[in-house]
Amino acid sequence: MKTKISLLFIIFLCFISCREDADTFDGPSIIEIAGDFKFLSDFSANKTTVDFANGETVDFSAQFNKPISWTLTIVGETTKATKIITGSSKSISASNGRWNGSTTNFPTFSAENCTATLTFKDLADTARISLKTLSPKKIDAFIIADFEAGLNSKWTTFVQSGTQIDFKVKTDNLAPEGKKYLNMAGAVNFDFLIGLIDFPAKAYGTAVTFPLAVNPESVYFNCLIYGVPDSTAANRSIVLFQFKEDENGNGVFNGVNEDLYAYEIRVDWEGWRLISVKYSDLTSLENGQPATPKGNGLRNPDKLGLISMLYLADPNNGFASTKIDLLSFSSNKPIEP
């Protein structure tokens, strides 16, 4: 009899234990999920006037009664620049709602009034905050060309003769940052090359090489490239960057016994896009095909002496057009304009 009672007691304890485990679970409860959405604290910002050039940021905040997918969209009144921050949570704070002045959709922000709008998936609820940016965010990078001063006389430029050739710096509302960019367009029926620019390290000082780190894993090359809305013309554009290393440090690149690495970009999109590539991911190309480097076979960004930018298009396809801006080198990560 005592054995039966003990057994029943053990079963009862197991039952209670199972009930307790069943009542304990991770994540929101069904009541929380099914309940009406509510703000527990208003959508706000820790400042409404921000000086991005001096490293200031804006921290947005809000609290909700249940986890929800949200989108925070900041739009510049003058530039129409757009920053989009998304998340899925019960709250917005500095950890998931900080804005450092960067842009999602170009152009970049300027000194202007902005509106921050908070929206939610499958809900009509919205909240808005007015902000004022006193200055745009600084680009943390070594700038090769932003074309704000036009074409540097220390660069070497070559442009083919052809139809509708345009290889000039433009100032209009299509600039993705600052006020200017380089327009590249035209048709050449006898060659892929429409135009090129050589950017020698000497154009930026007295050194024969660019001031870059030794480790190719920590160096990023960046640029902004525009695909024209006419997708057929956009698909015709090729931008080829060649990185020519001066391995012996004599200030002259020798293609016979020094390394040349390349990065080819086929413009097959519309609008401005940030392109970033790690120096260690550059390849050796010859006539568009993989090739063996002619020098030591090591990617040495600290020995880079010359960058060549070639704008190419298939001569059989006629007119091609693209735009480019903000050629730069950054450390450890791509730029965040």
Side-chain angles (χ1 to χ4, degrees):
M1 186 69 179
K2 288 182 179 180
T3 303
K4 290 183 179 180
I5 292 174
S6 298
L7 182 59
L8 289 173
F9 182 69
I10 292 172
I11 293 173
F12 175 75
L13 289 178
C14 290
F15 176 74
I16 294 298
S17 176
C18 290
R19 286 294 304 273
E20 288 176 350
D21 289 343
D23 290 339
T24 303
F25 53 89
D26 295 328
S29 68
I30 294 176
I31 295 174
E32 186 179 61
I33 294 173
D36 293 336
F37 169 77
K38 295 178 182 179
F39 276 88
L40 297 183
S41 67
D42 292 338
F43 177 47
S44 62
N46 67 334
K47 57 173 69 76
T48 55
T49 300
V50 57
D51 188 355
F52 290 121
N54 283 324
E56 292 185 0
T57 59
V58 179
D59 293 340
F60 295 96
S61 61
Q63 286 189 324
F64 323 118
N65 65 322
K66 63 179 181 178
I68 192 166
S69 295
W70 50 267
T71 299
L72 173 54
T73 305
I74 307 158
V75 179
E77 184 178 293
T78 303
T79 61
K80 306 306 178 186
T82 305
K83 175 66 177 181
I84 300 173
I85 304 172
T86 60
S88 182
S89 60
K90 291 182 66 173
S91 65
I92 299 174
S93 64
S95 63
N96 60 0
R98 173 168 290 176
W99 180 37
N100 64 356
S102 60
T103 304
T104 302
N105 299 322
F106 294 100
T108 56
F109 290 86
S110 66
E112 60 185 323
N113 293 321
C114 302
T115 300
T117 303
L118 182 63
T119 57
F120 304 92
K121 184 179 180 181
D122 301 327
L123 290 178
D125 300 68
T126 60
R128 289 181 175 83
I129 296 174
S130 294
L131 304 169
K132 185 175 183 178
T133 60
L134 299 178
S135 61
K137 179 180 182 289
K138 285 185 177 179
I139 307 298
D140 185 15
F142 177 85
I143 305 299
I144 302 163
D146 62 7
F147 305 105
E148 295 302 303
L151 296 175
N152 190 328
S153 61
K154 295 180 180 179
W155 301 340
T156 300
T157 303
F158 170 79
V159 183
Q160 294 271 35
S161 297
T163 304
Q164 295 179 272
I165 296 294
D166 187 348
F167 214 78
K168 298 178 181 178
V169 174
K170 302 285 186 177
T171 304
D172 57 38
N173 59 6
L174 285 176
E177 64 84 35
K179 297 180 179 180
K180 299 180 180 181
Y181 62 89
L182 178 65
N183 193 62
M184 302 187 294
V188 177
N189 61 11
F190 57 86
D191 193 3
F192 270 78
L193 179 67
I194 293 177
L196 68 82
I197 300 179
D198 281 341
F199 304 96
K202 292 179 181 178
Y204 308 90
T206 58
V208 297
T209 58
F210 287 89
L212 303 177
V214 174
N215 184 1
E217 291 286 336
S218 66
V219 176
Y220 285 78
F221 173 74
N222 314 273
C223 63
L224 300 177
I225 298 183
Y226 183 83
V228 298
D230 177 2
S231 60
T232 56
N235 286 332
R236 296 171 185 155
S237 294
I238 302 171
V239 181
L240 176 66
F241 287 99
Q242 296 177 331
F243 302 85
K244 302 173 181 180
E245 296 183 354
D246 181 9
E247 295 179 9
N248 61 13
N250 67 353
V252 179
F253 170 72
N254 188 330
V256 175
N257 56 19
E258 292 182 311
D259 285 344
L260 182 156
Y261 295 101
Y263 189 64
E264 182 182 274
I265 304 167
R266 293 182 176 267
V267 186
D268 57 1
W269 63 85
E270 295 183 6
W272 286 102
R273 179 178 291 186
L274 171 62
I275 302 296
S276 297
V277 59
K278 193 184 299 184
Y279 199 93
S280 59
D281 291 334
L282 300 177
T283 58
S284 180
L285 297 175
E286 191 169 321
N287 297 322
Q289 300 299 317
T292 301
K294 301 293 180 62
N296 63 15
L298 302 174
R299 291 163 182 79
N300 300 122
D302 60 310
K303 296 182 179 180
L304 178 64
L306 177 66
I307 303 168
S308 295
M309 180 184 73
L310 292 74
Y311 179 47
L312 311 169
D314 190 327
N316 297 313
N317 290 338
F319 181 77
S321 176
T322 191
K323 311 175 194 303
I324 197 161
D325 199 6
L326 201 59
L327 283 63
S328 62
F329 283 111
S330 57
S331 299
N332 300 315
K333 62 181 180 179
I335 60 171
E336 191 179 12

